[in-house]
Amino acid sequence: MTRIYLNNGWLYSPEFKAEMTKSDYTGNFEIVRIPHSFTVTPFNAFSTDIYQKNALYRKTFKTEASWNEKKIFLTIDGAAHESEVFLNGKSLAVHKCGYTAFTVDLTNSLNPTDCENVLAIRVDSRESLNQPPFGYVVDYMTYGGIYRDVYIDVKNPTFIEDVFIKTYGTEYTADVKLSCENRQSPYKVSNKLISAKNVPFTTDPEKEIKLWSPDEPYLYTLITELSDESGNLIDSKETRFGFRDIRYDESGFYLNGKKIKIRGLNRHQAWPYVGYAMPKNMQIEDADILKYELGLNEVRTSHYPQSHYFLDRCDEIGLLVFTEIPGWQHIGNAEWKDLAVQNVREMVLQYRNHPSIFIWGVRINESMDDDEFYTRTNALAHELDPSRPTGGVRFLRHSNLLEDVYTFNDFSFYGTNDGCLPKKKVTKTRKGYMITEYNGHMFPTKTFDNEPHRTEHALRHAKVLDAVAGHEEISGSSGWCMTDYNTHKDFGSGDYICYHGVLDMFRNPKVAAFVYQSQQDSKVVGDVLSITSSMDIGEHAGGARGDVYIITNAESVKMYVNNIFIKEYTVAQSPFKNLSHGPILIDDYIGHRLVDEDGIKEKHSVPMKDMLFALQKYGVDKLPFFIYILYMDIKEVFRNAILLQ
Ligand code: GAL
């Protein structure tokens, strides 16, 4: 098989006209490359109307002599949202999903060898389409355009259509599906296993197999070869995968028999200005940020299947993935539901060899119960992939659980209560349980909000993580969310942005990002240290600094003021007891200086220090009552300490 990428040299028209699909059309186009976004969007405050178009992409290519007797397939990895493929003026296929790939057989519509063909793709991004996620409101922008790769595969008439590898520990089975021209002919299929770095095994591979896990993401490649009766090679296919066992039950999530607490974030595949249209390196970068900067072991691809480049990277670096069908709260009519079921089919068939995917989301995010509909989606996912559990993200407590895991968005935390609900308050099921969202709209935070706000945001993330860590029956959580994102008018801060990320849209960290980062072992990633304050009084009402925290993974942190030692802090002082590295509150900026530098007696220095600390924390006018009670004799303290010395 030969693959030819068709990402360059496309002609684009923001408006579709049927005559544009024909070879004799001579109108004006813009020259563009894929990945492409219909509209370069402003940073914020723009209407979603600006990217809603029924547009056209057009490209010419020659029929090659080497394509004789071959089959020619065109694949579009992702086009938002409805696409129609025309070849030489003839409509060949319509695909109605903005988040899954589709393949069209061009063979019978190609012009003769050496002649030009006109490939035209109509892409409709209007939100009036009757397909997921449209039909009501959606809290994210949906953009438009061909935003993932386009390529042509040249294949023999008989070829390997699909290989699905299921693993059970170090065992595997490969389901090989052939597309046969002549079903009577005897074909031979053979499989050869190599390590993903293309190193052939010197001994029996089965004895060398290493399991895939977040810590050690070992990958393998299965080379499947198809030969004819006389042993001539007809086709071969390489499938990368990992060996691992997944088990989800009431007591938690197990990978290769080992219980893992899931700590992740939700990710939208969007960036400023270009929307969805980002190439491979940026997809890789996002996975690396989640794994290495934020120290997570999981990501939920909310609320749709995302780029294979992103997933490939998750496989390589060991980042577990929860992936789900497109949709947001709304369930449409029968035709719409059929498309959602089709989305399950495409998602599972296209993504099931990624070892990083540990669960399929087979419900429309946060929709109401619909047993008839979800029985279909759940059954189909199990039929196409018996090796993984299913979930379906809901905001409903005690909803009907048709899937294997109760996956729940727990937005119960409002700042002063418990960080999450215990499982029994959400569901009585004896199956597994996971929190799939928290925080988000409960505390939107801009990088340019003032310091107390940004600190509170960080603490709220710490509080939920701490609570989840304390509940054995909760298999883990994915917070809302990785980055800020452009959204519809009904959501966000009035400027079409949801400031829900622990990173901003450019992937710059907010304080909350360090809460995640600091959960990593310093022996593995080195020391993480962030102080929640820049020590500028102008960030605070009345100049009162409030609570300042040390966010670190270090065993201990020594604080100095102008090289003078003040205090050593250790993680044992953190109020977040279930976290291995909870934020630590700073409670002293003075140390021993009153005695050492000002000559104040030890016994007087202690209440003085407390008072000075309270003054800078609360401000003169806002000293809490307990300070007055504690220090009724404050005047005397000061008189003794200062005036009389
Ligand atoms: C959830 C929803 C997410 C996002 C989040 C904001 O209800 O699933 O898509 O809108 O709220 O906190």
Side-chain angles (χ1 to χ4, degrees):
M1 186 200 81
T2 314
R3 176 160 296 179
I4 305 158
Y5 281 90
L6 297 186
N7 288 336
N8 294 326
W10 285 85
L11 300 179
Y12 167 71
S13 158
E15 231 180 291
F16 169 81
K17 287 193 216 123
E19 57 264 36
M20 291 172 168
T21 66
K22 310 245 163 62
S23 57
D24 54 3
Y25 183 80
T26 53
N28 282 337
F29 290 102
E30 190 187 331
I31 299 176
V32 301
R33 295 179 73 193
I34 286 165
H36 179 254
S37 199
F38 280 170
T39 310
V40 175
T41 44
F43 175 72
N44 66 353
F46 59 94
S47 158
T48 49
D49 293 344
I50 67 172
Y51 61 67
Q52 295 191 52
K53 299 177 195 302
N54 188 26
L56 175 113
Y57 293 86
R58 186 182 144 123
K59 183 170 177 63
T60 51
F61 63 92
K62 255 193 201 158
T63 306
E64 305 285 332
S66 59
W67 295 0
N68 249 340
E69 312 278 301
K70 303 277 183 192
K71 285 204 155 247
I72 311 300
F73 294 99
L74 173 82
T75 296
I76 294 156
D77 255 345
H81 285 268
E82 180 196 87
S83 313
E84 182 170 9
V85 174
F86 298 84
L87 189 66
N88 301 320
K90 187 173 147 207
S91 170
L92 298 185
V94 175
H95 180 252
K96 291 169 182 274
C97 176
Y99 303 97
T100 49
F102 62 102
T103 297
V104 185
D105 186 349
L106 303 182
T107 319
N108 296 332
S109 308
L110 287 167
N111 284 330
T113 303
D114 281 339
C115 295
E116 290 283 349
N117 298 284
V118 175
L119 173 64
I121 306 172
R122 180 182 64 79
V123 180
D124 190 345
S125 65
R126 287 170 298 181
E127 296 178 5
S128 51
L129 293 168
N130 185 30
Q131 67 183 60
F134 305 122
Y136 191 51
V137 293
V138 179
D139 171 23
Y140 50 91
M141 284 200 182
T142 47
Y143 304 99
I146 303 182
Y147 69 92
R148 292 185 195 150
D149 290 343
V150 178
Y151 50 85
I152 277 182
D153 285 334
V154 183
K155 297 182 179 181
N156 282 325
T158 294
F159 61 92
I160 302 165
E161 198 176 311
D162 186 48
V163 177
F164 173 36
I165 300 161
K166 282 173 282 194
T167 67
Y168 310 91
T170 56
E171 307 278 301
Y172 78 94
T173 58
D175 299 344
V176 179
K177 189 171 171 213
L178 302 181
S179 177
C180 296
E181 207 178 37
N182 177 358
R183 294 199 174 270
Q184 306 314 319
S185 294
Y187 295 107
K188 194 174 154 259
V189 174
S190 68
N191 285 314
K192 190 167 88 189
L193 189 63
I194 58 171
S195 84
K197 292 197 179 98
N198 281 351
V199 185
F201 289 96
T202 45
T203 58
D204 180 1
E206 308 288 328
K207 296 207 178 82
E208 294 181 26
I209 297 299
K210 295 199 168 93
L211 298 177
W212 184 97
S213 71
D215 291 338
E216 293 181 311
Y218 286 103
L219 293 174
Y220 294 85
T221 299
L222 191 73
I223 303 179
T224 307
E225 290 186 336
L226 174 68
S227 324
D228 66 14
E229 211 175 353
S230 335
N232 301 316
L233 185 68
I234 305 175
D235 194 14
S236 75
K237 189 174 170 61
E238 295 194 1
T239 314
R240 197 172 72 165
F241 70 104
F243 288 88
R244 83 275 183 286
D245 256 341
I246 287 173
R247 182 160 63 85
Y248 230 126
D249 65 26
E250 199 179 6
S251 61
F253 169 63
Y254 296 82
L255 188 72
N256 307 326
K258 194 176 140 207
K259 189 166 175 178
I260 291 192
K261 194 88 175 186
I262 294 161
R263 193 172 60 239
L265 287 170
N266 286 268
R267 173 192 189 240
H268 268 307
Q269 59 171 21
W271 284 263
Y273 314 124
V274 296
Y276 289 164
M278 274 297 195
K280 180 178 178 180
N281 57 349
M282 297 306 283
Q283 307 291 342
I284 290 176
E285 168 132 323
D286 264 12
D288 285 356
I289 289 172
L290 290 162
K291 169 89 182 182
Y292 298 118
E293 283 187 29
L294 299 172
L296 305 175
N297 60 16
E298 189 258 2
V299 57
R300 172 169 166 236
T301 64
S302 50
H303 299 298
Y304 36 76
Q306 301 186 356
S307 162
H308 280 283
Y309 292 129
F310 178 75
L311 270 295
D312 283 343
R313 189 62 182 163
C314 293
D315 293 344
E316 287 161 10
I317 63 181
L319 190 61
L320 292 160
V321 181
F322 182 135
T323 208
E324 66 189 1
I325 51 171
W328 204 85
Q329 294 192 350
H330 166 76
I331 300 176
N333 60 12
E335 188 192 332
W336 191 103
K337 287 184 189 177
D338 287 347
L339 286 170
V341 174
Q342 177 66 12
N343 289 343
V344 173
R345 176 178 300 283
E346 292 179 349
M347 171 179 78
V348 177
L349 289 179
Q350 293 172 18
Y351 289 81
R352 60 188 177 171
N353 284 317
H354 285 288
S356 54
I357 295 178
F358 71 106
I359 187 168
W360 299 118
V362 299
R363 284 188 179 231
I364 303 302
N365 172 66
E366 293 190 331
S367 53
M368 302 307 281
D369 280 349
D370 183 333
D371 287 3
E372 189 270 325
F373 175 36
Y374 289 133
T375 301
R376 286 172 70 198
T377 58
N378 191 42
L380 182 59
H382 279 137
E383 180 196 318
L384 299 173
D385 178 9
S387 74
R388 284 182 183 84
T390 54
V393 172
R394 60 200 87 211
F395 55 26
L396 300 172
R397 296 199 213 178
H398 305 293
S399 89
N400 299 344
L401 181 61
L402 307 167
E403 304 83 22
D404 304 310
V405 184
Y406 201 102
T407 48
F408 177 67
N409 290 348
D410 183 341
F411 286 110
S412 60
F413 180 55
Y414 50 78
T416 48
N417 54 336
D418 290 342
C420 68
L421 296 167
K423 177 186 175 190
K424 63 176 186 304
K425 289 223 164 143
V426 180
T427 172
K428 300 274 176 282
T429 182
R430 305 287 305 269
K431 295 180 179 175
Y433 178 73
M434 175 180 173
I435 294 176
T436 33
E437 290 182 35
Y438 57 85
N439 283 351
H441 64 278
M442 299 303 289
F443 204 74
T445 300
K446 307 174 179 78
T447 40
F448 46 93
D449 271 325
N450 67 19
E451 199 172 274
H453 192 98
R454 288 182 281 125
T455 302
E456 169 71 7
H457 183 231
L459 294 178
R460 284 183 179 227
H461 277 272
K463 186 76 195 284
V464 178
L465 287 178
D466 189 54
V468 171
H471 281 278
E472 270 301 304
E473 82 285 8
I474 303 179
S475 64
S477 58
S478 290
W480 193 265
C481 58
M482 176 186 176
T483 65
D484 296 344
Y485 53 95
N486 286 122
T487 188
H488 283 76
K489 67 172 169 32
D490 322 80
F491 305 91
S493 295
D495 59 353
Y496 292 71
I497 295 180
C498 271
Y499 293 94
H500 296 172
V502 302
L503 312 173
D504 69 11
M505 274 202 271
F506 296 100
R507 281 60 180 156
N508 295 312
K510 300 177 191 172
V511 187
F514 296 103
V515 170
Y516 289 89
Q517 195 176 42
S518 65
Q519 299 316 308
Q520 302 174 91
D521 187 344
S522 62
K523 287 190 211 80
V524 180
V525 299
D527 289 341
V528 174
L529 176 63
S530 174
I531 308 297
T532 61
S533 178
S534 63
M535 301 291 163
D536 294 303
I537 55 170
E539 271 289 275
H540 305 269
R545 205 182 277 138
D547 283 336
V548 178
Y549 285 81
I550 299 168
I551 302 180
T552 187
N553 62 352
E555 303 262 299
S556 92
V557 174
K558 288 185 182 151
M559 193 172 112
Y560 294 80
V561 172
N562 298 336
N563 285 335
I564 298 160
F565 175 72
I566 303 295
K567 182 167 176 176
E568 179 170 3
Y569 293 92
T570 64
V571 72
Q573 287 153 260
S574 170
F576 302 91
K577 296 296 176 207
N578 301 312
L579 292 181
S580 36
H581 310 284
I584 306 163
L585 185 64
I586 294 178
D587 58 6
D588 185 4
Y589 296 103
I590 295 175
H592 212 241
R593 293 178 73 187
L594 291 177
V595 176
D596 297 345
E597 295 174 29
D598 300 318
I600 289 168
K601 286 206 179 95
E602 189 83 45
K603 70 170 182 175
H604 294 142
S605 77
V606 176
M608 265 187 88
K609 239 172 73 165
D610 287 352
M611 176 53 83
L612 290 169
F613 185 83
L615 281 169
Q616 66 80 41
K617 174 169 170 174
Y618 302 108
V620 187
D621 304 327
K622 294 230 172 99
L623 280 177
F625 192 59
F626 77 88
I627 294 285
Y628 292 97
I629 304 283
L630 273 177
Y631 300 107
M632 292 281 253
D633 57 349
I634 192 71
K635 282 196 193 126
E636 199 188 329
V637 169
F638 271 84
R639 198 176 314 113
N640 291 341
I642 301 170
L643 301 179
L644 302 182
Q645 284 213 6

